[in-house]
Amino acid sequence: MLGTFSSVKQYLKFDISRVVIDNIVFKLHYRWTFVLLLVATLLITSRQYIGEHIQCISDNVVAPVINTFCFFTPTFTVVRHLNNTALDSGSIFQPGIGPYNREEDVIKRHAYYQWVPFVLFRQALCFYLPHALWKKLEGGRVKALVYGLRMVGLTKYLKNDSMRIGKLNIPSMAEVEDRVINIRRTMIDRMRLNQSWGAHLVFAELLNLLNLCLQIYWTNRFLGREFLTLGVKVLRERWVDKMDALDVVFPKVTKCTFYKYGSAGSLQEHDTLCVMALNIMNEKIYTILWFWYSFLLVVTVLGLLWRLFTLIFYHNVTFTKCALYWAKPGKMDESDLKSIIEKCNFSNWMFLFFLRTNLSEFLFQKVIYHLASEFPNDPIHDNDINDYRARERELPSGSTGKYPLLGGLDTVDAPLLHHRGAGPVLATPKSPTDGATLPI
């Protein structure tokens, strides 16, 4: 049994180092629903759990022939025999099975069982498509920055030398100094250039809702318009009546008519009974799917309401602090956070949200700290140290540039913001053994 489902175990792995670019509602669509539908497909196509999908009884007809014929052509039940009264009186032994008049009686044909595995697999792909589209539109931007910042965070445990552990390369403090500048500048460039990033995420989340509604609609059509009320009827009738909605939609015994020519050339009609072992699995799969789709629909709508709240209140500092704390608990500097979100649009805010989801408290505080230097509250004291540092690297050897003492600045841990209430200051040594501050 474990070997049967080994093909889907890769989708159930939980990797704590994986970069998160969506929320739990999104995962319910492309991971949990996708896996649920794949498992259902494997169960339907595996004969080891239910044996032959159909077994028919008929006189003077070879069993494999009648089984194959009745599986490929629709079987049927008689509508007037789908009632509990006849079952209670003993007039019929199975719902929908009994004598019928070809000219007068209405019959209910069942042909869906031939297509169940194909429909389930197609639905699994449909639930994965919005995620694949979002990954394409997102372009790996969060992953590129998060991986660089994670390596920087490990550097605080090293001194002067870098370290390599397998494929993991932890840079030294000297390497980090240049890397932080590049990462910070890259982050700012991405936030300014990718203004449609948040719109793409909202589009993918709306696509999840649209896809879910379409799958519910097509499943209802596929099951003869019986799916929408299936779960309610099962809860109401399952343990009360002998015949419930599952017996009507997924009959266990059906009728099949087979024709063949006799030895004298006359046409012979064979009325057969077929045991539908496949419907034992079908009824359970679609009952579970009804409850799962109902739950998923509610959660998806709530997720979109949350996205609407973020779109309306993302400029509010209190709301942002609560949202970022929900993404991952940790302390944040409110003044730094305020200076950033006042300059951010919705795409920038969502970008910060997912950075907070993927980074530790230590690293995210540094991100907020450095980003605040790019978006100061007071434009008169705009901190452009990072720009000058990048320019001075391009100056000829021996040139000091505008900030001759900038070479002593620790760009990882030194303050880049203006001092609280005293204007911006730059930490720099007066002598090799002492320290002082130089006003900017």
Side-chain angles (χ1 to χ4, degrees), residues 262-273:
S263 56
S266 58
L267 186 64
Q268 298 178 349
E269 177 182 332
H270 297 268
D271 187 23
T272 67
L273 287 179

Side-chain angles (χ1 to χ4, degrees), residues 320-322 324-337 356 359-369:
T320 300
K321 286 183 63 177
C322 294
L324 294 179
Y325 189 86
W326 182 19
K328 182 177 287 187
K331 297 180 180 179
M332 285 165 286
D333 189 285
E334 185 171 332
S335 60
D336 292 347
L337 192 62
R356 179 68 190 107
L359 295 178
S360 65
E361 179 183 350
F362 169 78
L363 284 176
F364 189 70
Q365 285 180 346
K366 285 189 174 294
V367 170
I368 293 295
Y369 196 58

Side-chain angles (χ1 to χ4, degrees), residues 109-164:
R109 296 191 177 274
H110 308 280
Y112 59 85
Y113 50 82
Q114 306 168 6
W115 301 96
V116 167
F118 302 101
V119 171
L120 291 174
F121 184 71
R122 180 190 63 82
Q123 288 182 318
L125 294 180
C126 288
F127 277 100
Y128 194 83
L129 282 178
H131 170 68
L133 178 62
W134 165 234
K135 287 184 65 176
K136 179 68 175 178
L137 295 174
E138 194 274 334
R141 296 178 179 90
V142 175
K143 181 178 180 180
L145 291 177
V146 167
Y147 274 10
L149 289 169
R150 281 176 176 172
M151 296 304 100
V152 171
L154 295 174
T155 302
K156 63 180 181 179
Y157 301 106
L158 301 178
K159 294 183 178 180
N160 300 320
D161 299 326
S162 61
M163 179 182 295
R164 186 171 185 85

Side-chain angles (χ1 to χ4, degrees), residues 226-241:
E226 299 282 354
F227 182 70
L228 289 182
T229 58
L230 183 65
V232 177
K233 290 180 179 178
V234 169
L235 292 176
R236 187 175 63 241
E237 304 171 359
R238 187 59 175 172
W239 294 277
V240 177
D241 300 324

Side-chain angles (χ1 to χ4, degrees), residues 195-215:
Q195 301 299 316
S196 60
W197 196 86
H200 291 158
L201 175 60
V202 174
F203 172 75
E205 291 177 336
L206 288 172
L207 199 60
N208 279 331
L209 178 61
L210 176 61
N211 173 68
L212 176 59
C213 293
L214 285 176
Q215 298 313 316

Side-chain angles (χ1 to χ4, degrees), residues 80-339:
R80 70 182 177 90
H81 294 311
L82 294 173
N83 63 81
N84 279 293
T85 303
L87 281 173
D88 292 336
S89 64
S91 301
I92 58 174
F93 72 98
Q94 283 289 329
I97 302 300
Y100 84 106
N101 187 313
R102 188 187 305 274
E103 303 297 331
E104 298 179 1
D105 287 333
V106 178
I107 63 174
K108 182 179 179 65
R109 296 191 177 274
H110 308 280
Y112 59 85
Y113 50 82
Q114 306 168 6
W115 301 96
V116 167
F118 302 101
V119 171
L120 291 174
F121 184 71
R122 180 190 63 82
Q123 288 182 318
L125 294 180
C126 288
F127 277 100
Y128 194 83
L129 282 178
H131 170 68
L133 178 62
W134 165 234
K135 287 184 65 176
K136 179 68 175 178
L137 295 174
E138 194 274 334
R141 296 178 179 90
V142 175
K143 181 178 180 180
L145 291 177
V146 167
Y147 274 10
L149 289 169
R150 281 176 176 172
M151 296 304 100
V152 171
L154 295 174
T155 302
K156 63 180 181 179
Y157 301 106
L158 301 178
K159 294 183 178 180
N160 300 320
D161 299 326
S162 61
M163 179 182 295
R164 186 171 185 85
I165 305 175
K167 296 182 179 180
L168 180 64
N169 183 36
I170 305 175
S172 65
M173 289 298 295
E175 294 171 340
V176 165
E177 184 176 347
D178 292 332
R179 183 177 293 188
V180 169
I181 294 174
N182 293 332
I183 289 175
R184 185 170 57 248
R185 175 51 55 192
T186 301
M187 187 181 303
I188 293 296
D189 291 341
R190 291 186 186 279
M191 289 176 65
R192 288 172 177 169
L193 295 177
N194 296 285
Q195 301 299 316
S196 60
W197 196 86
H200 291 158
L201 175 60
V202 174
F203 172 75
E205 291 177 336
L206 288 172
L207 199 60
N208 279 331
L209 178 61
L210 176 61
N211 173 68
L212 176 59
C213 293
L214 285 176
Q215 298 313 316
I216 293 175
Y217 171 77
W218 284 113
T219 304
N220 187 53
R221 289 288 302 272
F222 180 64
L223 296 180
R225 303 184 185 277
E226 299 282 354
F227 182 70
L228 289 182
T229 58
L230 183 65
V232 177
K233 290 180 179 178
V234 169
L235 292 176
R236 187 175 63 241
E237 304 171 359
R238 187 59 175 172
W239 294 277
V240 177
D241 300 324
K242 291 185 177 180
M243 183 187 71
D244 60 12
L246 295 180
D247 294 319
V248 176
V249 183
F250 307 100
K252 314 310 182 290
V253 180
T254 58
K255 296 170 67 69
C256 178
T257 303
F258 180 75
Y259 297 92
K260 76 180 188 68
Y261 288 99
S263 56
S266 58
L267 186 64
Q268 298 178 349
E269 177 182 332
H270 297 268
D271 187 23
T272 67
L273 287 179
C274 297
V275 178
M276 305 294 295
L278 189 62
N279 276 346
I280 298 296
M281 299 300 300
N282 285 335
E283 68 173 14
K284 294 173 176 57
I285 287 172
Y286 280 101
T287 302
I288 293 173
L289 283 179
W290 188 92
F291 288 103
W292 178 256
Y293 285 164
S294 300
F295 164 76
L296 192 60
L297 182 61
V298 173
V299 172
T300 303
V301 172
L302 292 177
L304 288 175
L305 288 177
W306 162 253
R307 184 63 64 230
L308 180 62
F309 288 154
T310 61
L311 185 61
I312 296 174
F313 300 111
Y314 71 92
H315 272 311
N316 184 278
V317 178
T318 303
F319 176 80
T320 300
K321 286 183 63 177
C322 294
L324 294 179
Y325 189 86
W326 182 19
K328 182 177 287 187
K331 297 180 180 179
M332 285 165 286
D333 189 285
E334 185 171 332
S335 60
D336 292 347
L337 192 62
K338 181 178 179 181
S339 66

